[in-house]
Amino acid sequence: MFFDNIIYRGYERLLTGEVRKDRIPRHIAVIMDGNRRYADRLGIVRNLGHTYGARTTEWFLDWCWELGVKQATIYAFSTENFSRTSDECAMIFDLIIKKLDELIHDPRTHERRMRISAIGEVHLLPSDLQDAIRRAGDATRGYDEMYLNIAAAYGGQREILDAVRDMAREVRSGELHADDIDESTISGHLYTNGTLIPDVDLIIRTGGDIRTSNFLPWQANGSECAAYFCAPFWPEFRKIDLLRAIRVYQVREHERKRAATRRIIDMLAACGHAELEDAIGHVRRAISRKDTATVAGN
Ligand code: IPE
Ligand code: IPE
Ligand code: MG
């Protein structure tokens, strides 16, 4: 156990160093899944699984802060989760209230200038939870160093539907012209309101399932964000899991840039002038040298 710990710390430090050398995702969204299965495995009451999960969320925010991730969006309660027993729903709601109040009084929130907000059909939540969300929003209004976005009573399709309805109303009243609607107009009408919460760079799901459960479909798919699915249940998610996820994002970004450069070169090649072809030859050789170097560096 002692040696495991030393090895873990060493590995964590190594990975942190590697990850820091490259671009850090601006916005990470997490589907924190597996709380109840974790409790089942330990043979403890399922509600405790949620309590342990909330502890991981706190650590997760610390790691995001240390690494310079500006936006963290966490899936705390989906619209589908309303179909769970009323006891479980009540327990989860109380836990979110407790955690929000702790965050309001936690000096880290203020040192980090972390703005807290909720996305979702907040009006469907119990009024004491709505109050807690309001308190947290008021206490952190104007902060802009880090953003914690809590998805509660959230459903991605519903978010898009609400945006479409809003836009239809604005078109009817003449505030908006149908021909002017583009991607940014839609982003601006989502709960995430494009400017405050940008598109997602990396989505993480714990608990072993490979699906995105109606989470941020517009914000994640539009930006073709990287996705990292991992086996640990949320309460056992560790910093190295986050670091591995970020590495997946970084590799993905490199691939994207290389593909874009190749496309430009192919396009230029299609133009077919002698000098251009000569220049393209040089760039191609440079890229393939760089590819080999990157692969060797991995
Ligand atoms: C995720 O864990 C937390 C919430 C949905 C609130 P689950 O409660 O879904 O736990 P599992 O996936 O059933 O183990
Ligand atoms: C996803 O977990 C939603 C949250 C983490 C809040 P669920 O356990 O509710 O999702 P499904 O039912 O497996 O898709
Ligand atoms: Mg689940």
Side-chain angles (χ1 to χ4, degrees):
M1 192 66 197
F2 175 70
F3 287 110
D4 282 359
N5 225 3
I6 292 182
I7 289 168
Y8 174 81
R9 294 279 160 231
Y11 183 44
E12 184 190 289
R13 216 166 311 139
L14 183 78
L15 263 182
T16 306
E18 278 178 19
V19 153
R20 274 187 196 282
K21 284 193 207 128
D22 210 328
R23 183 172 167 166
I24 296 291
R26 183 166 55 151
H27 185 179
I28 300 185
V30 199
I31 303 172
M32 316 179 288
D33 198 23
N35 289 351
R36 299 181 301 181
R37 279 169 285 162
Y38 176 75
D40 290 348
R41 205 183 57 202
L42 291 189
I44 55 177
V45 290
R46 287 185 141 197
N47 280 352
L48 267 182
H50 294 308
T51 309
Y52 287 133
R55 199 179 52 177
T56 304
T57 308
E58 211 179 308
W59 294 332
F60 173 75
L61 292 177
D62 287 342
W63 303 329
C64 283
W65 170 253
E66 279 167 39
L67 293 166
V69 176
K70 269 200 156 253
Q71 300 262 356
T73 303
I74 55 169
Y75 209 175
F77 195 84
S78 67
T79 38
E80 291 77 14
N81 290 148
F82 279 112
S83 63
R84 296 195 178 184
T85 65
S86 53
D87 275 359
E88 185 181 353
C89 290
M91 188 274 163
I92 294 173
F93 296 146
D94 285 346
L95 186 60
I96 303 177
I97 294 174
K98 183 167 166 268
K99 290 291 156 188
L100 280 171
D101 282 328
E102 280 172 19
L103 278 173
I104 292 171
H105 297 106
D106 191 327
R108 285 174 297 183
T109 301
H110 304 282
E111 282 156 22
R112 292 171 188 174
R113 295 180 52 77
M114 183 172 78
R115 180 161 176 168
I116 304 170
S117 57
I119 55 168
E121 291 180 273
V122 175
H123 62 276
L124 298 179
L125 296 167
S127 59
D128 51 352
L129 176 49
Q130 290 186 41
D131 291 342
I133 290 171
R134 213 168 296 121
R135 279 198 297 281
D138 289 344
T140 60
R141 195 173 307 288
Y143 286 174
D144 56 2
E145 284 290 311
M146 190 177 171
Y147 292 78
L148 167 61
N149 317 305
I150 302 168
Y154 177 87
Q157 287 199 343
R158 183 68 203 205
E159 178 181 34
I160 294 173
L161 177 66
D162 282 348
V164 171
R165 281 193 179 141
D166 273 356
M167 289 185 294
R169 268 191 290 271
E170 288 169 24
V171 168
R172 202 181 320 129
S173 69
E175 277 171 75
L176 184 67
H177 291 286
D179 291 341
D180 293 340
I181 297 176
D182 60 10
E183 288 83 352
S184 68
T185 323
I186 297 176
S187 293
H189 283 78
L190 298 174
Y191 306 141
T192 44
N193 180 4
T195 49
L196 217 52
I197 308 176
D199 278 351
V200 178
D201 297 312
L202 167 65
I203 192 161
I204 299 174
R205 181 178 187 132
T206 62
D209 285 325
I210 304 190
R211 54 195 145 90
T212 49
S213 296
N214 205 9
F215 192 38
L216 304 169
W218 178 275
Q219 299 87 337
N221 290 333
S223 59
E224 292 181 46
C225 80
Y228 184 79
F229 298 95
C230 60
F233 299 131
W234 180 245
E236 57 190 357
F237 185 79
R238 296 174 302 175
K239 189 175 175 189
I240 55 166
D241 297 308
L242 173 62
L243 293 165
R244 284 177 178 148
I246 295 179
R247 226 169 41 175
V248 164
Y249 159 82
Q250 292 174 336
V251 169
R252 175 67 221 281
E253 283 299 290
H254 286 298
E255 279 165 3
R256 220 151 63 153
K257 272 186 210 135
R258 272 205 294 272
T261 316
R262 270 204 202 100
R263 258 200 313 277
I264 294 171
I265 289 172
D266 288 346
M267 222 168 64
L268 289 173
C271 300
H273 292 286
E275 303 79 16
L276 211 55
E277 274 169 18
D278 193 32
I280 289 163
H282 281 296
V283 178
R284 276 214 173 104
R285 281 191 293 279
I287 289 183
S288 62
R289 270 200 302 276
K290 197 157 181 293
D291 280 2
T292 329
T294 315
V295 171
N298 272 343

